[in-house]
Amino acid sequence: MMKKKLIYYILPLLALIACNEEFTETPAVGALSDEALQNPQGVDLLLTGAYSALTGAVNNNGGNGFAVSPDNWWFDVMSDDAHKGSTDGDQLDLFLLETYQFTPANPYILGKWEALYGGENRANAVINVINGIEGEDVTGKLAEARFLRGYYNFELQKIFGNPAFISAENYANSNFNQPNPGPIWEEIEADQQFAIENLPETQAEPGRPTSWTAKAFLAKTYLFQEKWQEAFNLLQDIIQNGPYSLNQEFFANFRAEGENSPESVFSIQFTADDGNSYNGNVGSTLNFPNALGFCCGFYSPTQDLVNAYQTGEDGLPLLDTFGENDVANDYGIESDQPFTPESGPLDPRLDYTVGRRGIDYNGYGINPGKEWVRNSFADISGPYLPKKNVYYAGEDVNMGTGPWGQQYSGINYNVMRFSGVLLMAAEAAVELGDLDTALDYVNQVRERAKNMTYVQAEDGSPAANYNIDLYDSFSDQEFARKAVRFERRLELAMEGHRYFDLARWGPNYMKNVIEEYIDNETSTIPNFGPKTSTFQEHMVIMPIPTTAIDLSGGVLTQNQGY
């Protein structure tokens, strides 16, 4: 499939260049000289390698192999959206992250650090080779490489707060041991701006960024720095003049038929290939129900998240009171025991996001509850299953199953969707005092949810009491801010964004949310609170990995609080 070319064809390209007639004058595969690559074909080869690093799988991955997943699922586990899943003792390092007992030596943190720097390294390799080319116009390829470097550095920045920046000059001189004196926002902005100015407005191959893609990522970079006007200006341009739109169906964003749709601003092109492919989402291979031949019961939505989808009679979310009453759940109830699902009004996006007992599970039949849940009632992960990352029944193109049930899913990961662009614009509008524009963009997202096809019961009726409507107005800035932030959670839950949203909204804000979440969750899972330590405000960014500091000889310095 064309959408998979960027990753799937890297090995044939390697063979093609390695086996040309001048092979005796060039190094072996894996050690090709810059001179051998200083041509359009060589640039394409290196650029393909830089794209393939988006999966997180790079040479000599260290740390924890599941940590590399670009969908950042394990950061959801550190937020109020998800539990680790499985039994408490399986992947203990992740349990320590979920319960805020981790240290800088945690292998999940190292795994993410190495995966992202591996991607940055590959992007710099492209830039370095292009810098040595004369007589060929490869500006477009350079713009793609700089977009990718900007992407990898943005991820490093939002996760670690104070990463080291490795320039193309550093790369060329093998001078990788750089200090980390502070944020690298300026370097990220420079790469994104170059991409805006030099990428085309359209690309023939899905998965390659356009100038519109770069604008969206620069806007997000501004948003993370609270540069509200700069972000808003770009986002307005994208919304009013760009090529994107909302899919009619919310669920299309998570099915094969909706991949690379007009809602996809930038997506990572996974493929299941022959069913056992490392071009699948290997980092998320554990995050499937413990049933149907799947493995391994990780990444369980929280009761707190489920509660957030409650609505009032007016079809609006319960912004301040959603945690006061739990949506009916089957925690502590075996599958052969009776259970009555929630009858109160719910946002219909819930049942495309969370697998609940008594509701169809992605076309595989009615979820029977505990029978499909791996963890025991003594563990802290609760009764729910993830849905957005699990391919639908019959989607063979995305089905990849390994020898012990692990899933190499081919579902593309939408790094950014147009609904997220609308909500970023709404957020910036609120901070600029433009409440009418914020209302419009939030309501566009809610209107799609209102008019979409709902999950159905076996008799063809709606599977639950779905009730969603639009806001009439935003009464003041405080209410608007709360509504926009809540909408981001409802729309983007279980897509790897929640931890970073909470973090950028401030350490004290995040601490208050996490403390309330722990209290609410413990009312359903009594042993959750006792197993959880206090969230500390410095945890809004991750520590620099101990191994990285040690290997740097002290050039890298640790973030405060760790």
Side-chain angles (χ1 to χ4, degrees), residues 216-417:
F217 277 84
L218 180 56
K220 188 173 183 179
T221 297
Y222 287 148
L223 199 80
F224 267 66
Q225 299 174 81
E226 299 185 348
K227 295 181 178 180
W228 304 117
Q229 190 66 61
E230 294 93 329
F232 184 73
N233 291 345
L234 280 173
L235 292 164
Q236 281 282 79
D237 183 24
I238 295 164
I239 293 167
Q240 295 175 0
N241 304 308
Y244 308 114
S245 62
L246 295 175
N247 291 324
Q248 181 176 349
E249 299 288 2
F250 176 72
F251 60 74
N253 293 293
F254 320 108
R255 292 189 182 179
E257 65 192 44
E259 291 187 341
N260 300 310
S261 71
E263 188 164 343
S264 177
V265 178
F266 186 64
S267 59
I268 295 173
Q269 307 291 303
F270 288 114
T271 176
D273 290 342
D274 59 357
N276 191 359
S277 171
Y278 285 97
N279 288 332
N281 192 349
V282 179
S284 290
T285 193
L286 304 178
N287 304 337
F288 285 69
N290 200 42
L292 303 168
F294 295 155
C295 177
C296 294
F298 282 74
Y299 198 26
S300 303
T302 64
Q303 182 67 44
D304 190 86
L305 175 61
V306 173
N307 289 346
Y309 286 94
Q310 296 178 97
T311 62
E313 292 183 1
D314 58 2
L316 297 178
L318 309 179
L319 300 180
D320 296 311
T321 61
F322 74 93
E324 294 180 0
N325 296 290
D326 286 341
V327 171
N329 65 83
D330 62 324
Y331 177 79
I333 302 174
E334 298 289 353
S335 292
D336 59 358
Q337 296 175 321
F339 168 72
T340 302
E342 177 65 38
S343 60
L346 299 168
D347 186 315
R349 287 172 290 187
L350 167 62
D351 288 324
Y352 286 118
T353 304
V354 177
R356 298 190 295 138
R357 180 172 173 177
I359 308 294
D360 178 77
Y361 189 80
N362 288 7
Y364 293 100
I366 300 299
N367 179 352
K370 182 63 183 70
E371 181 181 326
W372 285 9
V373 176
R374 182 179 177 191
N375 50 283
S376 72
F377 299 136
D379 299 306
I380 65 172
S381 292
Y384 298 112
L385 303 173
K387 268 193 163 182
K388 287 181 175 179
N389 62 294
V390 177
Y391 44 69
Y392 280 68
E395 288 194 349
D396 294 347
V397 67
N398 281 332
M399 294 182 180
T401 303
W404 44 271
Q406 72 271 40
Q407 300 301 305
Y408 302 118
S409 171
I411 299 175
N412 283 2
Y413 171 59
N414 285 304
V415 179
M416 188 184 297
R417 296 196 279 118

Side-chain angles (χ1 to χ4, degrees), residues 448-486:
R448 191 263 298 274
K450 177 181 179 180
N451 295 327
M452 70 182 183
T453 302
Y454 298 162
V455 174
Q456 295 182 345
E458 291 179 299
D459 63 3
S461 64
N465 178 15
Y466 300 125
N467 183 32
I468 183 173
D469 216 328
L470 311 185
Y471 287 97
D472 291 331
S473 64
F474 286 161
S475 57
D476 54 45
Q477 188 180 46
E478 181 181 358
F479 179 84
R481 183 180 294 118
K482 187 181 300 182
V484 170
R485 290 179 177 183
F486 208 89

